Amino acid sequence: MAHRLQFALTVMFHYLFPILTMGLGFFIALLSTLELVTGESRYGAAAKFWAKIFAINFALGVVTGIPLEFEFGTNWSRFSSYGGSVFGQTLPMEGVYAFFLESGFLGLFLFGEGRVSRVVHWLAGVGVAVGSLLSGYFIIAVNAWMQHPVGYRLASDGTLHLVSFWAVLLNPYAGWQYAHTINGALLAAAYVMGAVGAFYLLCGRHLEFGRQTVKMAIVAGTILSLTQLFPTGDFNGADVVQYQPVKLAAMEGLFKTQQGAPLAIIGMPDTTRARLLDPIFVPDTLSFLAYGNFHATVKGLTDYPRDLWPPVDLTYYAYHIMVGLGTIFIAQMLLGLFLLWRRRLYSARWFLWTLMLALPFPYIANEAGWMVTEVGRQPWLVYGLLKTSAGTSANVAGGEAVFTLIGFCGIYALLSLLFVFLVGRVIHEGPEEAPPAA
Amino acid sequence: MNVVWFWTLAVMLTVYAVLDGFDLGVGAVHLWVARSNEERRVALNAIGPVWNGNEVWLLAAGGMMVVAFPRVYASGFSGFYLALMLVLWLLILRGASIEFRHQIDHPMWRALWDAGFGVSSLLLALLLGVALGNVVQGLPIEADGFFQGSFALLLNPYSLLTGLLSLVVLGWHGANYLRTKSEGALLARARRASLWLFWPAVALALLTTVATFHVKPNAAANFFVHPLAFVFPALAAAGFVGALVFHRDPTDRCPFWMSTLVIICLLVTAGATIFPNLLASTLNPAWSLTVYNAASSPRALRDAFIANGLGMIGVVVYTTYAHRAFRGKVRLGSHGY
């Protein structure tokens, strides 16, 4: 249990940083491109401002990411030894194809101005974005393999052997999962930009930067909040329906198998009595969402053996928090777009307040989404093949894992304080102002 | 293919030791060599654009170990559990120190992170050497391929000696790197540090060689099968001699290349000593994890080699470019730390 808690803590804390590096990298590359094309220095100043925040995130992403790569071996040694030669295929590729690109070019981007030509500097910005987006794919491929193992055969020594490299790399489960994850990261970055821009507009500083940033955030955020639902969320959900129907039942809090299953908007699962308390249902909708047919039969939890249920409460609430927040994001962004169109966006202080205060919610939604994926996969570590309890390190005592778990709690608490403090300072200092026009 | 993967991992870890070695070394000596705030900023900016990339070599090597030798990864990492967690925490502290120091312009804030950077670099250089010492010496691996690495087991005289060797050699390497990057008083102190660390490094290297034959009497067996391998310890010795001969090199570049040569040759020698074992069992030689019994299937090895080999070509090209873009002395400007 301590192994699971430690991994959950370290991976969830780590993921706070890649959300922004994956999302922000794209926007920095976009701003650098605008600078190169238009020659306007305000885009360059904005790119530089975000690169500062990116750099702090990246550094913390790296230092909190190294533990994860180690933990496969330190805490999950039986899992590594069992499936390493299959799921491990894409693990070093993350380093080889993505991290080298990201770290090498980030150095060039942050330190290289004046040392390299403008085009190379721009290329470095693009390299950072490509690297951070690629890194996501390789690690999602590992996770997708744990959700839906492919390309292996069970060898006589009890470990898995690789049958097809391409099957692992191009796992059908990975495609939409990746799209949904990256889309979520980009949306979070749009929200961070929106919140910072709104903050500047509300306190009357860096007005031009604020307007430019809020506008970019609203336009990108509207598109992204919609694509988060469809197609990425919808198709990712379809993969769950196809490969992990128990997870679907837990996500939706569906206990009894039903024809024309309803969609629970609100309700509290009661696992001992196998029912949903105080629910508000939309009739037949779950059947439609899962199978495209209002009368399709959806299997409920009680039709599966109890020991194959994931923790229902956690899966259910995480899923509902994610979907609920996603819906609110769409509404908020559409409203913002409407105000932008009516040219009232920059003066609608009430809206800017909501945009600024919305900052934590995309993070919560992203983390909740991962909780659905990972908690919902339980009790399996590799779906259908290896139980989580059989993957831990047998030679590491529970007490040792508790000790290191406490250590990680302490260090990460300290890191988060420093992070908030330092990013707060960067935002307080603001972007470099262009010299006033003559 | 198994043998190819052994040397691929060895090369990855050697490159890691050379690259992250100089920034660990800079960290280990900077409290002593760089005194003023400007000098410490020069030291940080000397490694600033590259240290993160250097650390990726370790990450990539770890990933490659999962796919090529999953049983070694599983056994080694879980066996060294607490020691590795310590390494992780130090890596976190070190990364945080580098990134946080320049954020606030206050002497106390800087002193705090200077100490964090110095201490974590020092301990990391030591611990990596301790780990290598234990790998060379062998571990009490049971029939199931696992062992339990308590501190009492890991901190033995031989591994402490290799830890010290690693610390001193990397410190020397870091001082040599600083020589290529600095000017003025800092350069003068880096030159002095480089010489002061040189003699202990030679002494410890000799002592370690003797001690290795003591804990592992057949350490030279592979060398007599492939006499060509004697080139590496010979070149390591040549590197030490070269460093002494070229110590006064006015461009300050030669000593750095010499310490690079020494680190490469020492590690390849260590690799040649343990081959074909990856983790040797001290309980029963048959329980050792070797490149044959701990490897993935031939297909997995081949595919992973192609997939990562292609990527590494690209990595080498742009890593070289990035390092070249920052060659020469550090000039403090508005950018950077």
Side-chain angles (χ1 to χ4, degrees):
Chain A
M1 198 63 205
H3 291 294
R4 279 174 69 180
L5 275 176
Q6 174 166 312
F7 199 80
L9 170 83
T10 49
V11 78
M12 286 183 73
F13 185 76
H14 164 69
Y15 194 60
L16 292 172
F17 305 107
I19 291 179
L20 203 60
T21 48
M22 290 193 296
L24 211 50
F26 171 78
F27 287 104
I28 291 173
L30 186 68
L31 286 165
S32 306
T33 311
L34 285 172
E35 185 201 11
L36 197 73
V37 172
T38 65
E40 286 183 47
S41 64
R42 63 192 175 115
Y43 292 119
K48 240 160 90 182
F49 171 75
W50 293 114
K52 272 192 231 167
I53 291 181
F54 182 97
I56 301 175
N57 265 280
F58 182 71
L60 284 171
V62 171
V63 295
T64 58
I66 295 176
L68 299 175
E69 180 119 10
F70 278 37
E71 276 172 323
F72 281 120
T74 50
N75 297 78
W76 303 98
S77 64
R78 280 185 291 167
F79 164 55
S80 303
S81 150
Y82 171 77
S85 67
V86 185
F87 81 78
Q89 288 290 338
T90 57
L91 207 57
M93 292 176 72
E94 186 185 23
V96 169
Y97 286 92
F99 287 149
F100 277 121
L101 203 67
E102 211 175 348
S103 57
F105 284 128
L106 185 64
L108 267 181
F109 191 76
L110 291 175
F111 293 80
E113 215 171 3
R115 275 182 178 259
V116 295
S117 73
R118 281 185 56 207
V119 175
V120 172
H121 193 246
W122 168 77
L123 267 177
V126 175
V128 170
V130 171
S132 56
L133 291 174
L134 271 178
S135 69
Y137 185 79
F138 293 114
I139 210 70
I140 291 276
V142 175
N143 185 267
W145 187 82
M146 289 158 68
Q147 307 286 348
H148 175 55
V150 288
Y152 68 90
R153 71 182 166 79
L154 190 60
S156 53
D157 62 357
T159 64
L160 299 184
H161 282 194
L162 182 74
V163 174
S164 166
F165 169 77
W166 293 107
V168 174
L169 185 67
L170 305 173
N171 190 335
Y173 201 93
W176 288 112
Q177 194 188 357
Y178 175 69
H180 193 57
T181 309
I182 290 296
N183 201 93
L186 286 166
L187 180 60
Y191 259 95
V192 169
M193 294 175 71
V196 173
F199 169 71
Y200 286 146
L201 290 181
L202 284 171
C203 57
R205 298 167 48 205
H206 310 294
L207 291 178
E208 196 196 324
F209 172 81
R211 280 194 283 267
Q212 171 199 324
T213 307
V214 170
K215 184 173 164 188
M216 191 181 235
I218 294 285
V219 173
T222 309
I223 300 168
L224 291 166
S225 62
L226 290 169
T227 51
Q228 188 67 8
L229 176 69
F230 187 87
T232 67
D234 188 58
F235 280 100
N236 193 13
D239 286 340
V240 174
V241 173
Q242 189 181 347
Y243 300 118
Q244 303 180 337
V246 199
K247 186 194 268 181
L248 176 81
M251 280 157 62
E252 302 289 359
L254 185 74
F255 287 96
K256 306 251 172 340
T257 300
Q258 286 183 42
Q259 195 186 10
L263 183 73
I265 303 291
I266 291 181
M268 293 160 279
D270 175 355
T271 45
T272 42
R273 276 179 287 176
R275 65 198 182 95
L276 210 56
L277 304 172
D278 282 340
I280 299 177
F281 284 126
V282 184
D284 298 343
T285 312
L286 179 56
S287 290
F288 176 73
L289 288 177
Y291 297 103
N293 171 359
F294 285 105
H295 303 292
T297 304
V298 182
K299 252 176 114 178
L301 282 166
T302 46
D303 274 6
Y304 298 97
R306 186 97 193 200
D307 61 344
L308 293 184
W309 288 16
V312 176
D313 300 293
L314 214 50
T315 313
Y316 172 89
Y317 284 118
Y319 175 68
H320 280 75
I321 286 170
M322 174 184 82
V323 172
L325 286 174
T327 313
I328 295 170
F329 297 153
I330 294 176
Q332 189 180 22
M333 283 297 175
L334 282 174
L335 183 62
L337 194 68
F338 174 76
L339 291 170
L340 185 70
W341 173 52
R342 303 299 303 172
R343 299 182 186 284
R344 276 191 299 187
L345 178 63
Y346 308 129
S347 52
R349 293 184 69 85
W350 59 273
F351 180 79
L352 295 175
W353 267 103
T354 63
L355 193 60
M356 185 178 84
L357 293 178
L359 179 68
F361 295 104
Y363 281 96
I364 295 173
N366 271 291
E367 294 278 1
W370 273 109
M371 280 175 73
V372 177
T373 312
E374 297 300 276
V375 174
R377 192 190 61 225
Q378 305 302 326
W380 299 105
L381 205 172
V382 183
Y383 204 80
L385 288 178
L386 183 74
K387 291 268 178 72
T388 305
S389 51
T392 53
S393 298
N395 52 339
V396 175
E400 288 179 295
V402 171
F403 170 74
T404 54
L405 171 64
I406 294 171
F408 274 113
C409 286
I411 291 174
Y412 284 1
L414 200 67
L415 277 186
S416 5
L417 281 177
L418 283 167
F419 174 76
V420 170
F421 173 63
L422 290 175
V423 170
R425 269 177 50 92
V426 173
I427 293 173
H428 179 72
E429 280 169 10
E432 282 172 33
E433 292 278 1
Chain B
M1 211 65 225
N2 299 50
V3 180
V4 171
W5 264 110
F6 177 88
W7 289 110
T8 306
L9 270 178
V11 167
M12 292 295 295
L13 289 171
T14 305
V15 174
Y16 168 73
V18 168
L19 292 179
D20 211 32
F22 73 66
D23 63 58
L24 282 171
V26 168
V29 299
H30 96 298
L31 287 177
W32 163 40
V33 172
R35 302 276 165 79
S36 70
N37 180 35
E38 277 69 38
E39 288 174 2
R40 288 190 177 164
R41 279 185 61 205
V42 170
L44 277 176
N45 277 291
I47 63 168
V50 291
W51 75 270
N52 232 323
N54 294 346
E55 238 162 53
V56 177
W57 287 87
L58 180 66
L59 208 66
M64 287 182 187
M65 199 185 281
V66 179
V67 68
F69 303 109
R71 285 186 63 207
V72 174
Y73 174 78
S75 166
F77 278 53
S78 59
F80 284 131
Y81 188 78
L82 288 177
L84 274 178
M85 289 293 155
L86 196 60
V87 167
L88 288 176
W89 294 345
L90 288 169
L91 282 172
I92 294 175
L93 173 64
R94 184 164 178 274
S97 301
I98 297 176
E99 291 302 319
F100 290 160
R101 179 190 189 272
H102 67 112
Q103 303 276 355
I104 294 177
D105 191 18
H106 189 283
M108 275 179 72
W109 175 267
R110 287 196 299 257
L112 175 70
W113 294 115
D114 280 341
F117 178 49
V119 171
S120 57
S121 302
L122 210 130
L123 285 175
L124 276 168
L126 186 78
L127 283 175
L128 293 175
V130 168
L132 185 67
N134 280 305
V135 170
V136 170
Q137 186 176 210
L139 293 152
I141 293 168
E142 310 268 346
D144 64 357
F146 286 95
F147 68 97
Q148 281 182 333
S150 61
F151 281 123
L153 172 79
L154 299 179
L155 297 178
N156 52 64
Y158 178 74
S159 69
L160 286 174
L161 179 65
T162 55
L164 210 56
L165 172 69
S166 151
L167 173 60
V168 172
V169 168
L170 294 185
W172 173 52
H173 188 48
N176 287 340
Y177 181 73
L178 266 186
R179 287 180 63 175
T180 68
K181 289 284 174 187
S182 60
E183 292 162 313
L186 179 60
L187 174 61
R189 261 182 258 124
R191 280 180 180 157
R192 230 176 304 149
S194 151
L195 191 62
W196 283 348
L197 287 166
F198 171 79
W199 290 111
V202 173
L204 283 166
L206 289 173
L207 198 59
T208 306
T209 311
V210 176
T212 305
F213 282 103
H214 182 71
V215 298
K216 204 175 150 73
N218 63 346
N222 283 329
F223 292 86
F224 288 107
V225 180
H226 302 282
L228 209 60
F230 277 114
V231 167
F232 293 103
L235 274 177
F240 276 126
V241 174
L244 193 61
V245 172
F246 296 113
H247 177 67
R248 296 193 182 281
D249 172 23
T251 67
D252 290 294
R253 292 212 197 96
C254 276
F256 177 69
W257 292 115
M258 289 301 152
S259 52
T260 303
L261 180 70
V262 168
I263 292 173
I264 292 173
C265 291
L266 284 180
L267 285 173
V268 174
T269 307
T273 308
I274 63 171
F275 185 85
N277 289 331
L278 284 154
L279 289 176
S281 172
T282 48
L283 302 177
N284 178 349
W287 295 343
S288 297
L289 298 176
T290 70
V291 293
Y292 304 107
N293 71 13
S296 288
S297 61
R299 187 186 191 108
L301 289 179
R302 189 200 63 195
D303 290 359
F305 188 77
I306 297 171
N308 293 296
L310 288 177
M312 286 313 292
I313 297 172
V315 170
V316 170
V317 171
Y318 62 71
T319 306
T320 315
Y321 177 80
H323 279 260
R324 282 187 68 81
F326 293 103
R327 72 182 181 281
K329 306 284 185 189
V330 172
R331 301 255 187 279
L332 291 178
S334 59
H335 305 297
Y337 297 107

